[in-house]
Amino acid sequence: LRGVSKHFGGVRAVNNVTTDIAYGERRLFIGTNGAGKTTLVKLISGLLDPTEGRILLDGKDIQEFNRSEYYTLFSAVFQDFSLLAGTVAANVAQNEEKINLPLVKNCLEKAGLREKIEALPDAYETCLNRQVYEEALLLSSGETQRLMLARALYKDAPFIILDEPTAALDPIAESELYQKYHELTKNKSSIYISHRLASTRFCDRIVMIGDGGICEEGTHEELIRRGGKY
């Protein structure tokens, strides 16, 4: 990222951000609510275009890429998501046809939802989305978040973005996710967004975001020693 800013109605949500993310790196963006963390990752993933500055992939401006092809590089779990009107398997695969069921099971296992699904009468053929199916399974907010994580893992893109993926999880489930984080992001580059300090220990590099810009950047130990805002 080179001098990246994003304005909404004249208000800067992201302000002059310059940073590099290395291949295979686990990067944490941390900051208070409204600091600009989600806007920043939506810029990186091409869902938003910068008002100022450039975002480069291997030195090439992402504006030059075919946008649909660029999207295939990312698996993301954002705060805003939707359930498909279909089965559990189709929701994980985001596809009604050619579903790789063993992969669906593996992804749900990693996300901590497989046991719940396999205990249901129709298991992976259980329908979701009550706006369409009256008898559809109603998942809790934490279970839905796990389903979204399984969906991101199924896509198996080289870059994974997790935007507050533990927000709806209880403390035990949150701890389990942190313990699995290395496995979930193996051979991938990743960005983890959080405002919880508990999430800082398992990432390679931490970027403290404030007022849309970078306040501090470094490892947990480095930032603690500096005694700054972090």
Side-chain angles (χ1 to χ4, degrees):
L1 285 77
R2 294 291 177 266
V4 172
S5 296
K6 180 64 178 177
H7 305 173
F8 294 104
V11 178
R12 285 177 180 251
V14 169
N15 184 28
N16 194 30
V17 170
T18 294
T19 189
D20 292 293
I21 300 172
Y23 173 75
E25 181 183 348
R26 293 182 290 267
R27 174 70 64 96
L28 172 71
F29 288 158
I30 192 166
T32 58
N33 288 332
K37 305 182 299 295
T38 297
T39 300
L40 194 54
V41 294
K42 287 188 175 182
L43 287 163
I44 291 170
S45 57
L47 295 174
L48 295 173
D49 293 327
T51 308
E52 300 166 1
R54 304 171 72 212
I55 301 171
L56 311 172
L57 175 64
D58 291 339
K60 181 179 178 180
D61 195 314
I62 67 170
Q63 300 286 340
E64 299 174 26
F65 285 84
N66 175 287
R67 193 54 61 99
S68 295
E69 290 179 3
Y70 186 74
Y71 289 153
T72 66
L73 300 176
F74 295 87
S75 293
V77 179
F78 288 115
Q79 289 296 298
D80 45 343
F81 50 74
S82 60
L83 289 175
L84 303 178
T87 65
V88 169
N91 265 276
V92 173
Q94 296 188 88
N95 194 336
E96 291 283 359
E97 301 173 0
K98 298 180 181 179
I99 296 174
N100 183 336
L101 189 57
L103 181 57
V104 168
K105 293 179 180 180
N106 181 255
C107 293
L108 285 167
E109 175 76 32
K110 289 180 178 178
L113 197 57
R114 181 171 179 173
E115 186 176 348
K116 160 91 176 185
I117 299 304
E118 292 190 346
L120 300 170
D122 295 323
Y124 299 96
E125 292 303 306
T126 303
C127 286
L128 300 177
N129 197 324
R130 284 198 178 173
Q131 291 179 313
V132 178
Y133 302 108
E134 284 188 12
E135 303 301 318
L137 172 67
L138 185 62
L139 295 172
S140 70
S141 55
E143 289 166 343
T144 304
Q145 202 134 30
R146 289 176 181 272
L147 184 72
M148 294 303 106
L149 178 58
R151 178 186 286 182
L153 295 173
Y154 184 93
K155 187 177 179 183
D156 196 29
F159 205 120
I160 187 165
I161 293 173
L162 302 175
D163 184 0
E164 298 278 12
T166 64
L169 301 182
D170 60 66
I172 294 174
E174 181 181 42
S175 177
E176 289 173 353
L177 179 61
Y178 291 158
Q179 291 169 18
K180 288 182 176 180
Y181 188 68
H182 286 283
E183 179 187 358
L184 297 175
T185 58
K186 188 176 181 181
N187 301 320
K188 301 180 187 301
S189 305
S190 67
I191 290 180
Y192 194 104
I193 301 175
S194 182
H195 61 264
R196 304 189 190 190
L197 286 174
S199 60
T200 62
R201 299 303 183 93
F202 54 85
C203 290
D204 300 318
R205 193 160 188 81
I206 299 163
V207 177
M208 180 83 185
I209 305 292
D211 298 323
I214 295 177
C215 301
E216 298 178 280
E217 189 170 349
T219 65
H220 172 77
E221 290 74 17
E222 289 170 350
L223 295 176
I224 287 293
R225 281 198 301 268
R226 289 176 197 164
K229 190 171 182 177
Y230 177 80

